[in-house]
Structures are given as C-alpha cells and as structure tokens.
C-alpha cells in the first residue's frame, strides 16, 4: 500500500515529461510502415533511450554529478539535429529519383539506435526533473518510480502506434512523413539547444 502513492505520482510525472514522444514515435511508425519488425525496433529503441535517461538520473541522484554535469544536457540537442539533417539530405537527394509519395515511405527500415538516440536526446531535460524527485522520495520509492516509468514506456509506444495507424492520421503521415520526419527532428534539436543555452545561445 505504501508504494501505491509513488507509483501514481510516477505515472503522472512520466505523462507530463514524455507526452511529446508520442509525436516523434508516431513518425517512426509511419516511417517503418510495412517493414518487418518496426514495432519491436521502436519498442526496443524507446526502452534503450529511456533506460539511459533513468540510469543517468539515478547516477546523478547518487552523487555522480561529474558523470553528467547539467551544462552538458543541452548539447543532447545535437543528436536529433544531426539525424534530422541527414534525413533531410536523403529526401533532397532522392527527390529527383522518386516522385511517388508511396515509394518514399514503403519499406523504410527503422533503426533501433536512431530511436534510442532521439529518445535519449528528447528526454535529456527530464534528468533535471527526475533527480530532485529521486533525492526526496528515498531509495524504495525511487525503485517504484523506475519500475512504473519502464511500464509506462510500453504504454507510450502502444499509444503512438495507435495514433499512427488511425486511418486519417495514417494517410497524412504516409503522404508527408518524409518531410515531417526531418523537420520534427531538426526542430527538436534546435529547441533543446536553445532552451538549454547551448553554445551561449
């Protein structure tokens, strides 16, 4: 009974800090539509990325602030920015070769490591939210928080897949995914860099 309260608080905290992942994950689902193992790759990538966030949060909570100094977090924005620029370059290069919208998305493979990297970068600022909570709740509740967070990752992936496969949304994503994907990643990277004051911005 003592763990019910921290679990409920963890669910609320997870929802508040990861709701934006639904958009990014939906684009990953659109990108991998029709390719084998897309759901598994996105799920594994999301767990790896969020697992990295949790590990970093716990280490900082335990006093390893030198492992991840706060001023380093804004530079995580470089990860989605670079991935978005690469995706945009590929779209630009293939634009002359393939004018068929369906051909642009059919059979694209989603990389586990790309999902993991984007998830970690997008959630880098979550570390600054989780650490103060972990410090105040104590070790047992911190474990409960981590377990609840990991359970919610599966829920998040399921919601993103549901959103991406609704017919009206799926049609829009299928038609515009090749443009939206790099735009969202580049925008995400720029926002992370600007909000964190990276490079003195």
């Amino acid at each position: 009974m003592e763990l019910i309260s921290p679990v409920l608080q963890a669910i609320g905290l997870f929802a508040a800090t990861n709701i934006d992942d639904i958009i990014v994950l939906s684009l990953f689902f659109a990108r991998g539509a029709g390719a084998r193992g897309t759901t598994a790759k996105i799920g594994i990538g999301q767990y790896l990325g969020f697992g990295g966030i949790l590990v970093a949060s716990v280490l900082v909570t335990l006093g390893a602030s030198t492992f991840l100094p706060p001023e380093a977090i804004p530079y995580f924005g470089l990860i989605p920015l670079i991935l978005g620029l690469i995706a945009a370059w590929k779209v630009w290069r293939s634009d002359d070769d393939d004018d068929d919208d369906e051909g642009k998305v059919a059979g694209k493979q989603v990389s586990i490591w790309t999902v993991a990297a984007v998830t970690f970068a997008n959630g880098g600022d979550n570390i600054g939210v989780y650490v103060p909570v972990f410090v105040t709740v104590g070790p047992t509740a911190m474990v409960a928080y981590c377990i609840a967070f990991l359970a919610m990752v599966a829920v998040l992936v399921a919601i993103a897949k549901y959103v991406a496969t609704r017919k009206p949304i799926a049609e829009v994503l299928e038609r515009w995914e090749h443009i939206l994907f790099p735009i969202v990643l580049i925008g995400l990277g720029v926002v992370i860099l600007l909000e964190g004051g990276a490079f003195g911005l």
Side-chain angles (χ1 to χ4, degrees):
M1 294 295 291
E2 294 180 2
L3 294 179
I4 292 178
S5 178
V7 167
L8 292 176
Q9 291 170 3
I11 292 173
L13 182 60
F14 182 92
T17 54
N18 292 279
I19 193 71
D20 55 330
D21 277 3
I22 293 176
I23 297 172
V24 178
L25 290 176
S26 296
L27 285 171
F28 274 121
F29 275 111
R31 169 151 287 226
R36 291 183 60 185
T38 294
T39 301
K41 289 177 181 178
I42 291 174
I44 293 170
Q46 181 74 5
Y47 267 105
L48 286 173
F50 191 78
I53 293 169
L54 275 187
V55 168
S57 299
V58 171
L59 287 176
V60 174
T61 300
L62 296 177
S65 57
T66 54
F67 168 77
L68 188 68
E71 57 269 20
I73 292 177
Y75 294 94
F76 290 160
L78 290 172
I79 299 173
L81 177 61
I82 292 170
L83 291 173
L85 289 172
I86 292 172
W89 171 255
K90 289 180 178 178
V91 170
W92 184 76
R93 286 289 303 273
S94 64
D95 191 47
D96 293 334
D97 300 330
D98 188 359
D99 294 326
D100 182 5
D101 288 334
E102 290 184 4
K104 291 177 182 176
V105 296
K108 286 189 178 179
Q109 294 293 323
V110 173
S111 165
I112 290 174
W113 297 110
T114 298
V115 177
V118 171
T119 299
F120 186 80
N122 190 30
D125 57 340
N126 292 359
I127 297 170
V129 177
Y130 297 160
V131 170
V133 175
F134 288 171
V135 168
T136 57
V137 298
T140 303
M142 182 172 69
V143 172
Y145 265 79
C146 290
I147 293 173
F149 282 167
L150 292 174
M152 288 299 294
V153 168
V155 175
L156 187 70
V157 172
I159 293 173
K161 183 176 181 180
Y162 177 83
V163 169
T165 53
R166 296 310 90 197
K167 191 172 180 180
I169 299 174
E171 288 175 352
V172 172
L173 290 177
E174 182 179 353
R175 182 172 180 82
W176 298 105
E177 174 274 336
H178 63 288
I179 295 174
L180 291 174
F181 187 75
I183 288 176
V184 169
L185 290 188
I186 291 170
L188 180 63
V190 170
V191 167
I192 293 171
L193 290 170
L194 289 176
E195 287 187 347
F199 304 110
L201 298 174

